[in-house]
Amino acid sequence: VNADFTCSDPDSDISSCVATDLGPDGEFSIASGEKLPTDMPGPHTLTVTATDHGGMVTTASRLYLVEEGCYADGIFLASVTP
């Protein structure tokens, strides 16, 4: 499962669009298109932060749960529950 996000603002240009994944094993930066970490079971939160050139900051977060022993696309993962 890959992260899929974009940042846009109809009124201003975006100067920064970054994401982090916070899970049981810590917080890590993640790029759009990069695989979400599924090696550590437990709740994970993907947070995307957009900053425009005026300094306005907006965040959006999504929770996903990684469970023990799951298969996805023929590859064994610790697990994944969308």
Side-chain angles (χ1 to χ4, degrees):
V1 178
N2 295 340
D4 183 16
F5 61 88
T6 59
C7 299
S8 63
D9 182 342
D11 299 323
S12 180
D13 290 330
I14 297 295
S15 62
S16 174
C17 180
V18 295
T20 57
D21 184 89
L22 177 61
D25 54 346
E27 186 171 27
F28 303 95
S29 296
I30 190 163
S32 185
E34 191 174 354
K35 289 188 185 287
L36 291 171
T38 58
D39 54 340
M40 180 65 68
H44 292 252
T45 303
L46 178 67
T47 301
V48 178
T49 303
T51 306
D52 69 13
H53 286 290
M56 299 294 293
V57 177
T58 301
T59 62
S61 296
R62 298 295 181 263
L63 176 69
Y64 66 99
L65 181 61
V66 175
E67 295 178 342
E68 296 283 345
C70 177
Y71 287 87
D73 299 324
I75 299 172
F76 181 79
L77 305 171
S79 77
V80 145
T81 301

